[in-house]
């Protein structure tokens, strides 16, 4: 998918074939072998990677995931997406991603800590607050970031807060980071509804996924007057055409584990949720859920990609023909990385930004990026889907920087 999307952008921009070949590979790909001592005295060995895709616009930046199925190809593709996401948001960053092939759920806290610290030690000379900045991803959290900071700081002999973002607030993190991706998704819904549906008030919305992204997007959207008619999690969804009470749903999810236990409304499947007759659909759970087989039956007017890669390239073509607007992930879920950048700036200045100010800066940045993209789409690329236009902006920024620097 990553290579296909790059192909489209390179062709749309009319760039030379050699540019495609430069950008389809990471600048650097590091593999590390980590071994740790288990509780029972045995030693276990794990493979980890860091893919540093591009640094034309600044230091590499991207998360680290711990998952038993992580592959090197996945890490490379994700690092390329980070390059475009950061470039589109106008951040002074390149793109990177890391991963360790491990099931963190079977490790004790001490084992996880040793694994995390050794990953940093193995990458010590390849990362840094001016070189490559890490962040959480699947199954890594603020505690893992705190271990990363400590391992790096101890080895370098300096407190290096800027080596990761999304840290605990005691270590220079921002509490606003938790809501920032969902807030950005909600902002995108509002901006696109204002522009293409005549406003957000009373527009119907269905949200797949009620985790960090989906839940916060739902809370902001309902506060701003949208009517959330359906939400779901991995166990299924709940639908009420009169609108759901999101605060009650948050409580149900926290106390009973799933939104399907909400007692008002009708229980539906995840597949049904995607095909509801709503104004806005927000897939905020996992990838590839809207594909060639269900895209012809989608009734939403606007899809805002809260998750990474929920709409496949085949579905993109179907939806474009149906004139459904797809707000691409590299814009829609960039609120998290924008907030991470605000955290990193504040860490490097040694002057902690206030939470309220951070939220205002995020809103300004996302609104400007989204509006400029819509403007370019309408002026120059009306025959393309919005994803291609977003890629065009991002790839163009990276290519210009590379050219000026002499093709690094
Ligand atoms: P999360 O783990 O907090 O929540 C995921 C939600 O999806 C849960 O409610 C879970 O029950 C649900 N889910 C899982 N499998 C499902 C399935 N098969 N069908 C329907 N629902 C299912 O994760 P999150 O942080 O909210 O991330 C969601 C997506 O957003 C991921 O694609 C992630 O990569 C992307 N994303 C997250 C952030 C962030 O800051 N959290 C930033 C950018 C992108």
């Amino acid at each position: 998918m990553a290579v296909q999307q790059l192909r489209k952008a390179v062709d749309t921009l009319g760039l030379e074939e050699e540019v495609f070949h430069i950008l389809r590979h990471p600048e650097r790909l590091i593999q590390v072998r980590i071994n740790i001592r288990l509780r029972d005295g045995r030693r276990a060995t794990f493979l980890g990677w860091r893919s540093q895709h591009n640094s034309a616009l600044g230091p590499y930046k991207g998360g680290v995931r711990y998952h038993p199925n992580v592959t090197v190809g996945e890490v490379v593709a994700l690092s390329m997406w980070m390059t475009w996401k950061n470039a589109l948001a106008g951040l002074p960053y390149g793109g990177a991603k890391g991963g360790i092939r491990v099931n963190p759920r079977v490790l004790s806290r001490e084992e996880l800590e040793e694994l995390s610290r050794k990953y940093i030690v193995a990458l010590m000379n390849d990362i840094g607050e001016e070189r490559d900045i890490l962040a959480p991803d699947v199954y890594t959290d603020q505690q893992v970031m705190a271990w990363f900071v400590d391992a790096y700081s101890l080895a370098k002999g300096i407190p290096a807060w800027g080596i990761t973002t999304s840290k605990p607030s005691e270590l220079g993190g921002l509490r606003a980071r938790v809501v920032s991706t969902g807030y950005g998704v909600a902002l995108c819904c509002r901006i696109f509804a204002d522009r293409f549906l005549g406003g957000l008030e009373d527009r119907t919305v269905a949200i797949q996924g009620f985790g960090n992204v989906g839940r916060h997007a739902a809370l902001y959207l309902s506060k701003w007057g949208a009517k959330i008619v359906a939400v779901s999690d991995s166990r299924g969804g709940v639908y009420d055409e009169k609108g759901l009470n999101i605060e009650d749903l948050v409580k149900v999810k926290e106390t009973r584990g799933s939104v399907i236990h909400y007692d008002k409304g009708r229980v539906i499947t995840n597949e049904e949720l995607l095909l509801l007759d709503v104004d806005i659909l927000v897939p905020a759970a996992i990838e590839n859920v809207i594909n060639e087989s269900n895209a012809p039956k989608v009734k939403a007017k606007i899809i805002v990609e809260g998750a990474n890669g929920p709409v496949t390239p085949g579905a993109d073509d179907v939806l474009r023909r149906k004139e459904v607007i797809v707000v691409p992930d590299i814009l829609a879920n960039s609120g998290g990385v924008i907030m991470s950048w605000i955290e990193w700036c504040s860490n490097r200045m040694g002057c902690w930004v206030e939470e309220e100010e951070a939220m205002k800066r995020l809103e300004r940045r996302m609104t400007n990026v989204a509006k400029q993209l819509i403007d370019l789409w309408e002026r120059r690329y009306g025959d393309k889907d919005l994803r291609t236009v977003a890629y065009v902006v991002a790839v163009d920024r990276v290519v210009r920087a590379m050219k000026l620097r002499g093709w690094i």
Side-chain angles (χ1 to χ4, degrees):
M1 274 169 74
V3 173
Q4 275 178 36
Q5 287 158 349
L6 172 64
R7 176 85 265 168
K8 261 195 193 170
V10 166
D11 292 347
T12 306
L13 281 163
L15 297 170
E16 302 82 2
E17 189 60 15
E18 58 209 44
V19 176
F20 171 74
H21 289 290
I22 292 173
L23 292 174
R24 69 172 291 175
H25 302 291
E27 285 171 12
R28 306 181 71 229
L29 177 59
I30 305 146
Q31 176 170 302
V32 295
R33 192 261 297 130
I34 306 162
N35 78 74
I36 62 167
R37 181 181 291 280
L38 299 176
R39 283 161 278 189
D40 61 10
R42 286 179 304 135
R43 300 205 75 89
T45 301
F46 301 93
L47 287 184
W49 297 275
R50 186 73 179 164
S51 170
Q52 299 176 327
H53 177 257
N54 194 285
S55 60
L57 292 169
Y60 306 106
K61 170 96 182 74
V64 180
R65 61 175 53 179
Y66 290 177
H67 196 278
N69 303 333
V70 171
T71 65
V72 62
E74 171 188 345
V75 173
V76 170
L78 291 165
S79 71
M80 189 195 286
W81 276 318
M82 284 309 298
T83 300
W84 312 139
K85 192 182 287 190
N86 293 336
L88 179 67
L91 305 180
Y93 289 143
K97 203 78 174 191
I100 303 180
R101 191 184 294 160
V102 58
N103 181 359
R105 288 174 189 215
V106 302
L107 294 187
S108 69
R109 188 183 158 90
E110 289 70 30
E111 290 163 348
L112 204 57
E113 178 174 350
E114 188 180 347
L115 181 75
S116 303
R117 288 180 180 278
K118 285 192 166 165
Y119 180 67
I120 293 302
V121 171
L123 291 175
M124 188 60 65
N125 295 322
D126 304 296
I127 58 175
E129 51 192 355
E130 291 176 332
R131 187 178 298 247
D132 184 354
I133 304 127
L134 315 181
D137 195 81
V138 177
Y139 295 148
T140 49
D141 56 12
Q142 290 193 345
Q143 177 59 69
V144 173
M145 295 307 110
W147 290 327
F148 282 178
V149 166
D150 191 59
Y152 188 85
S153 299
L154 286 178
K156 297 284 179 188
I158 44 160
W161 310 127
I163 180 69
T164 85
T165 56
S166 302
K167 298 178 294 292
S169 56
E170 293 84 348
L171 302 179
L174 283 166
R175 276 186 297 278
R177 174 63 184 86
V178 177
V179 301
S180 58
T181 306
Y183 179 63
V185 169
L187 281 174
C188 279
C189 292
R190 190 167 75 182
I191 293 163
F192 281 81
D194 282 349
R195 179 68 191 79
F196 297 100
L197 303 176
L200 184 67
E201 189 81 29
D202 287 330
R203 295 291 163 205
T204 52
V205 183
I207 303 179
Q208 183 186 49
F210 207 62
N212 179 277
V213 179
R215 175 189 317 213
H216 290 112
L219 283 166
Y220 282 106
L221 285 168
S222 67
K223 203 163 97 185
W224 297 339
K227 197 202 276 186
I228 318 281
V229 293
V231 299
S232 70
D233 55 37
S234 58
R235 294 175 60 189
V238 55
Y239 172 74
D240 186 348
E241 62 182 10
K242 295 195 287 296
L244 302 163
N245 183 316
I246 302 304
E247 284 176 8
D248 287 351
L249 270 161
V250 170
K251 283 187 207 130
V252 170
K253 175 86 182 161
E254 272 166 14
T255 53
R256 304 189 59 195
S258 170
V259 294
I260 58 171
H261 300 300
Y262 182 72
D263 55 7
K264 294 178 206 104
R266 176 164 67 83
V267 171
I268 56 171
T269 63
N270 266 292
E271 189 56 28
E272 282 176 279
L273 179 140
L274 297 172
L275 306 181
L276 287 173
D277 189 1
V278 288
D279 294 307
I280 303 172
L281 174 63
V282 182
I286 52 167
E287 63 285 343
N288 300 339
V289 290
I290 302 171
N291 43 53
E292 275 167 274
S293 63
N294 61 3
K297 292 178 268 174
V298 165
K299 296 182 200 73
K301 300 179 185 77
I302 298 177
I303 298 176
V304 179
E305 292 188 319
N308 285 320
V311 177
T312 65
D316 264 340
D317 293 338
V318 176
L319 295 167
R320 184 166 49 84
R321 285 198 293 276
K322 284 168 57 123
E323 296 189 359
V324 177
I325 298 173
V326 179
V327 183
D329 47 9
I330 60 168
L331 170 67
N333 67 31
S334 63
V337 75
I338 295 174
M339 189 58 86
S340 293
W341 162 66
I342 296 168
E343 176 184 336
W344 178 77
C345 292
S346 137
N347 292 162
R348 300 196 68 220
M349 284 190 296
C351 169
W352 285 189
V353 66
E354 289 185 12
E355 301 283 337
E356 204 179 317
E357 171 60 19
M359 289 296 276
K360 277 197 204 133
R361 283 174 68 181
L362 169 60
E363 179 179 351
R364 270 201 305 271
R365 171 68 59 139
M366 280 218 64
T367 307
N368 288 343
V369 173
K371 288 194 169 162
Q372 280 167 14
L373 190 65
I374 295 172
D375 186 45
L376 180 70
W377 189 31
E378 293 186 323
R379 265 192 305 110
R380 281 198 55 190
Y381 296 107
D383 58 328
K384 305 278 181 219
D385 57 66
L386 194 59
R387 188 187 314 281
T388 304
V389 187
Y391 271 71
V392 159
V393 172
V395 171
D396 185 52
R397 280 194 185 138
V398 172
V399 166
R400 280 170 192 272
M402 290 182 82
K403 246 183 207 161
L404 284 165
R405 291 180 58 176
W407 292 113
I408 49 168

